[in-house]
Amino acid sequence: MQHAASNMAAPLPGRCAFFVEKKKRFCKMIVGKGKKFCGEHADMSVDGSRRIVCPLDPKHTVSENKLENHLKKCNSREKDKPVYYVENINAGSSGGAEPQDRTELQSLVDQLKAAVTGLDCNVEDGVLSHPVLQVELSNPKNGDSAHKHLKQQSSILGHLQDLGLLEGGRCFVEFGAGRGKLSHWIHEALKTSQDLQLLLVERCSTRFKVDGKHQDVGVEFERLQVDIQHLDLSKVPLLQTKKLPLVGVGKHLCGAATDLALRCLLERPGHEEESEPRHKRMRTMDPGCGSVLGLAVALCCHHRCEWRHYVGQEFFLKQGLGEMEFSAFCRMSSWATCGLRLTNQDEGHEGSDLVRSFLCRFLSAAEREQMGRRCKELIDAGRLHFLKTKGFEGKLRRYADPQVTLENVLLTAVAASP
């Protein structure tokens, strides 16, 4: 093979002999002892051990003659479900249809305009902070992105403290935990307290987790890799030990994940709604997890909400609205933060182009932004209604400046007074 344009006349010692035409050089991956090619290019070898794409995960390859053994230990294989996994336990019911023509869209627009115009959903200003983050906030080594996250985490902790929820003797359940930084700062604020548990819920495997910083003796810092949709908190072993009261937290809990988290915390699976007064309905999950004291969840991505999971269905129906209207509100909510750019919800969505082009002819950019915000407020009003039916007093708070994040609304709730 001629490699005149290559900077290498031959592969480096101990490196792969495959010539990468696009980069005009040989592959730099280290090869095994006695091998000529690396694992990814082993199919170029003449020893008959051809590599094929793994049928469980196309992101990696495997030797064809080792496929059977590989499938038994591949990280992408279906694993045994943990005891707290109950499929679709927090999912709602599905159904409904999308608008099909312009006449139907016109009627839909009129309904939506009437709903957002009559909406009275107060979002209180409340940018708070907590002293435990002051050192990091003052650290010049933190870049702009890190500084913005720290400001949001500080404000969330400030609201937890203001609500009387940031105390020891509790289990903090962080939904959509990611790296777990919010739980990290909750632990830092309460590390001298007794009986503190932190349960992190995240459906994906996450790199650079902070979990390793919390392996001290006496610290109960546990992570569950499970979708909130399938999580039964009453079956989590950690919560059955001390049965501490629960506090739900989350930073930018995306779309339907907020509704799934609310169901996970506040709806008892397999039980009918009690006839007792609302203020006595603080959830105590069988067979013995603690009651729910409150929550603080930063909201985002309303365009990714789903009617099936939405906890405010009863509220919408009382307004004379249904799934079709809810779907339109969700798509329009993205106007509050990203103008007319297609959202993930819109891509490939039949009828979304009709909705967008039809509405944009009658609304200026400023009007679209305002309507987008009102759509968010209407969706969140349904969540407040749900919290009220469960015996909680919910509020919406603007917990960060728009310069820090455009998704700056925090949903808070505490048990309502008798």
Side-chain angles (χ1 to χ4, degrees):
M1 183 182 294
Q2 298 295 322
H3 307 307
S6 172
N7 294 325
M8 303 180 187
L12 296 172
R15 302 301 173 119
C16 179
F18 179 79
F19 187 78
V20 185
E21 192 65 37
K22 183 178 180 180
K23 297 184 178 180
K24 303 299 181 184
R25 63 168 174 76
F26 288 94
C27 173
K28 295 182 179 181
M29 295 292 290
I30 298 174
V31 298
K33 187 176 181 180
K35 302 289 185 180
K36 187 177 180 181
F37 296 96
C38 68
E40 286 304 310
H41 299 128
D43 57 340
M44 308 305 295
S45 172
V46 295
D47 61 3
S49 107
R50 188 171 72 95
R51 294 188 71 84
I52 60 174
V53 174
C54 174
L56 298 179
D57 183 0
K59 294 180 180 179
H60 66 271
T61 60
V62 58
S63 295
E64 189 173 24
N65 58 2
K66 297 180 180 178
L67 178 60
E68 185 176 350
N69 287 334
H70 172 79
L71 295 178
K72 296 177 181 178
K73 58 184 180 181
C74 178
N75 288 332
S76 298
R77 73 189 186 281
E78 185 173 355
K79 303 177 180 67
D80 293 336
K81 304 300 184 188
V83 65
Y84 48 79
Y85 180 96
V86 181
E87 187 171 357
N88 290 324
I89 187 172
N90 299 312
S93 58
S94 59
E98 287 293 318
Q100 299 298 318
D101 55 44
R102 289 180 179 270
T103 302
E104 196 171 349
L105 280 173
Q106 176 65 70
S107 175
L108 176 62
V109 170
D110 292 340
Q111 288 180 280
L112 295 179
K113 283 187 175 181
V116 296
T117 301
L119 179 63
D120 182 17
C121 185
N122 184 36
V123 181
E124 303 176 2
D125 288 323
V127 180
L128 305 181
S129 62
H130 193 279
V132 75
L133 284 96
Q134 288 309 307
V135 173
E136 279 298 304
L137 283 168
S138 304
N139 188 346
K141 294 182 179 180
N142 289 318
D144 290 341
S145 178
H147 195 71
K148 288 180 178 181
H149 286 294
L150 289 168
K151 280 188 173 182
Q152 294 173 66
Q153 291 155 359
S154 181
S155 185
I156 292 174
L157 261 67
H159 281 284
L160 286 171
Q161 187 173 53
D162 187 55
L163 293 168
L165 297 175
L166 192 63
E167 298 179 5
R170 280 133 198 224
C171 176
F172 291 85
V173 183
E174 183 180 359
F175 295 98
R179 293 172 59 193
K181 295 300 290 287
L182 184 57
S183 290
H184 165 74
W185 289 116
I186 291 174
H187 173 257
E188 289 298 303
L190 300 175
K191 59 184 177 182
T192 59
S193 303
Q194 299 294 320
D195 290 333
L196 176 64
Q197 294 178 334
L198 294 126
L199 182 68
L200 288 71
V201 180
E202 174 59 57
R203 66 180 179 180
C204 301
S205 178
T206 308
R207 300 179 65 193
F208 309 117
K209 299 184 289 289
V210 300
D211 305 33
K213 298 181 180 180
H214 302 280
Q215 302 302 317
D216 307 338
V217 176
V219 176
E220 294 184 281
F221 196 96
E222 184 174 319
R223 178 180 290 265
L224 306 181
Q225 187 176 334
V226 62
D227 194 311
I228 305 170
Q229 182 172 333
H230 311 302
L231 174 61
D232 186 350
L233 283 177
S234 69
K235 295 181 179 180
V236 177
L238 175 68
L239 304 188
Q240 297 175 355
T241 55
K242 298 179 181 178
K243 302 177 185 177
L244 298 179
L246 305 180
V247 177
V249 296
K251 177 176 170 287
H252 292 310
L253 201 51
C254 190
T258 296
D259 300 297
L260 293 171
L262 292 175
R263 290 184 188 276
C264 186
L265 279 170
L266 303 175
E267 284 193 340
R268 281 187 280 182
H271 285 70
E272 296 295 329
E273 189 71 41
E274 297 90 337
S275 58
E276 60 187 358
R278 287 178 180 170
H279 68 271
K280 294 184 179 180
R281 291 187 202 158
M282 280 182 61
R283 179 183 178 188
T284 304
M285 294 171 292
D286 307 275
C289 296
S291 58
V292 178
L293 295 182
L295 58 91
V297 174
L299 307 172
C300 81
C301 299
H302 291 68
H303 62 274
R304 299 189 67 179
C305 292
E306 298 177 38
W307 177 257
R308 176 188 180 191
H309 304 308
Y310 182 50
V311 296
Q313 290 185 17
E314 180 183 344
F315 170 80
F316 254 64
L317 294 174
K318 285 183 177 179
Q319 308 302 314
L321 305 171
E323 181 176 4
M324 185 184 299
E325 292 82 6
F326 176 79
S327 178
F329 270 115
C330 288
R331 294 197 299 275
M332 293 164 59
S333 70
S334 65
W335 294 351
T337 55
C338 58
L340 293 179
R341 187 180 64 203
L342 275 176
T343 64
N344 291 337
Q345 181 89 349
D346 286 331
E347 292 177 359
H349 195 293
E350 184 178 358
S352 62
D353 288 338
L354 277 176
V355 175
R356 195 169 56 137
S357 61
F358 184 66
L359 291 176
C360 293
R361 288 189 302 170
F362 303 102
L363 299 172
S364 66
E367 289 173 327
R368 289 194 297 272
E369 181 180 347
Q370 177 65 17
M371 183 167 287
R373 294 189 184 282
R374 300 309 295 271
C375 289
K376 284 176 176 283
E377 292 173 6
L378 180 65
I379 294 169
D380 292 334
R383 291 164 171 165
L384 294 176
H385 174 80
F386 171 80
L387 288 167
K388 186 175 181 180
T389 64
K390 298 298 179 182
F392 286 81
E393 181 181 352
K395 289 186 178 180
L396 299 173
R397 305 166 187 263
R398 198 169 287 105
Y399 79 104
D401 293 327
Q403 293 77 15
V404 174
T405 174
L406 292 175
E407 298 281 16
N408 61 348
V409 175
L410 185 73
L411 175 64
T412 66
V414 293
S417 303

